[in-house]
Amino acid sequence: MAAAALPPLPPQFKSIQHHLRTAQELDKREPVVAYYCRLYAMQTGMKIDSKTPECRKFLSKLMDQLEAMKKQFGDNEAITQEIVGSAHVENYALKMFLYADNEDRAGQFHKNMIKSFYTASLLIDVLTVFGELSEENVQHRKYARWKAAYIHNCLKNGETPQPGPIGMEGESFGVTSNTIQPAAQNVPLVDPSLYSAQSAGEVRLTPEDFARAQKYCKYAGSALQYEDVSTAVQNLQKALKLLMTGRE
């Protein structure tokens, strides 16, 4: 079901127009991601201006869209559980990022690749509805947004972009192929503390502990979808240590 049309976007909300456009584009093939794009726009719009009549009207209609989507997809755990939703959105953002990055490194410069870089950066914005971004996501967002602008400007000016990570605004940008895609991989060693850890039966785990362990398992599953063994092992070890010791 396509989302009902919104009234014209108030000028105050210009900063969220691309997130809303992305939501529209993803309504059919990725409705969960579309939902969280709208939720991000809603939360951001409330912070910008929730008092002027045109903004209140717009936010009210946007809220109606969210409620309709929540009703439609109410049995989807990615909507009902934030941990699952966060992993789902992060998964899709990484998918867009990896596609664009692989094209970039291969010297295949085109509009879809530029759009994928930019969309990845927008979806990392959306991840803030679940809490503070990881340092890795902050770096990926910065890199993706810069790459999209850099390649767009090069093509617009008839220049050939330089593929792969290069200096950005005078700095050396630390995104390497090992951090964002599988090549040969260095699998981390098993944490020695796990060998002598207490069993779960001797540890009192809180609901928050179980939620964090579930999150690590979800992240591990997401990493395996992209054959990222190192990240999968790291997250599984975090989950195992938490469940066995009650500590991270």
Side-chain angles (χ1 to χ4, degrees):
M1 180 183 71
L6 291 169
L9 185 77
Q12 298 95 312
F13 292 162
K14 184 178 179 181
S15 64
I16 60 174
Q17 64 179 339
H18 294 294
H19 302 85
L20 290 169
R21 187 175 302 158
T22 298
Q24 286 184 314
E25 294 172 352
L26 296 177
D27 268 330
K28 291 185 178 180
R29 68 176 184 270
E30 276 293 337
V32 169
V33 180
Y35 171 84
Y36 284 111
C37 285
R38 289 189 173 90
L39 182 59
Y40 170 83
M42 181 74 186
Q43 292 181 353
T44 304
M46 291 287 289
K47 294 175 184 176
I48 294 173
D49 188 343
S50 63
K51 296 183 178 179
T52 57
E54 60 177 351
C55 290
R56 287 175 62 89
K57 180 181 178 181
F58 186 89
L59 291 172
S60 176
K61 293 296 184 182
L62 183 55
M63 177 68 78
D64 290 343
Q65 282 191 351
L66 285 167
E67 289 299 323
M69 293 185 75
K70 198 168 186 179
K71 184 177 181 180
Q72 182 181 3
F73 303 105
D75 58 346
N76 190 320
E77 64 175 1
I79 297 291
T80 60
Q81 298 184 38
E82 283 197 353
I83 290 175
V84 182
S86 176
H88 188 98
V89 176
E90 189 170 29
N91 239 7
Y92 195 75
L94 181 60
K95 179 180 177 181
M96 301 292 285
F97 187 97
L98 289 176
Y99 165 76
D101 186 63
N102 287 336
E103 290 290 279
D104 176 39
R105 291 170 189 272
Q108 303 293 326
F109 305 109
H110 49 83
K111 289 183 178 180
N112 281 344
M113 178 260 272
I114 295 171
K115 185 175 181 179
S116 291
F117 263 135
Y118 189 61
T119 300
S121 75
L122 295 176
L123 296 181
I124 295 174
D125 287 340
V126 172
L127 285 173
T128 60
V129 304
F130 305 106
E132 189 175 351
L133 293 178
S134 67
E135 181 59 29
E136 183 180 32
N137 279 332
V138 169
Q139 291 298 315
H140 283 175
R141 179 176 62 180
K142 186 177 182 182
Y143 181 77
R145 196 159 286 170
W146 171 75
K147 261 293 184 179
Y150 166 71
I151 296 170
H152 171 78
N153 289 333
C154 283
L155 297 183
K156 181 180 178 181
N157 297 328
E159 302 171 0
T160 301
Q162 182 175 334
I166 56 177
M168 180 178 68
E169 298 175 356
E171 63 180 288
S172 175
F173 198 77
V175 175
T176 66
S177 59
N178 287 336
T179 65
I180 57 179
Q181 64 178 29
Q185 303 189 50
N186 294 320
V187 179
L189 297 175
V190 175
D191 185 345
S193 66
L194 293 178
Y195 292 121
S196 57
Q198 302 177 47
S199 66
E202 301 171 11
V203 176
R204 292 181 179 273
L205 297 174
T206 66
E208 290 76 18
D209 291 331
F210 285 112
R212 283 199 297 272
Q214 184 184 33
K215 178 184 69 174
Y216 290 136
C217 290
K218 292 288 183 183
Y219 287 164
S222 299
L224 288 176
Q225 287 187 345
Y226 300 99
E227 300 179 4
D228 186 349
V229 178
S230 178
T231 300
V233 170
Q234 288 174 352
N235 280 285
L236 288 173
Q237 288 198 98
K238 288 179 180 178
L240 185 59
K241 183 175 182 179
L242 179 58
L243 292 173
M244 295 181 72
T245 68
R247 300 188 304 273
E248 293 191 67

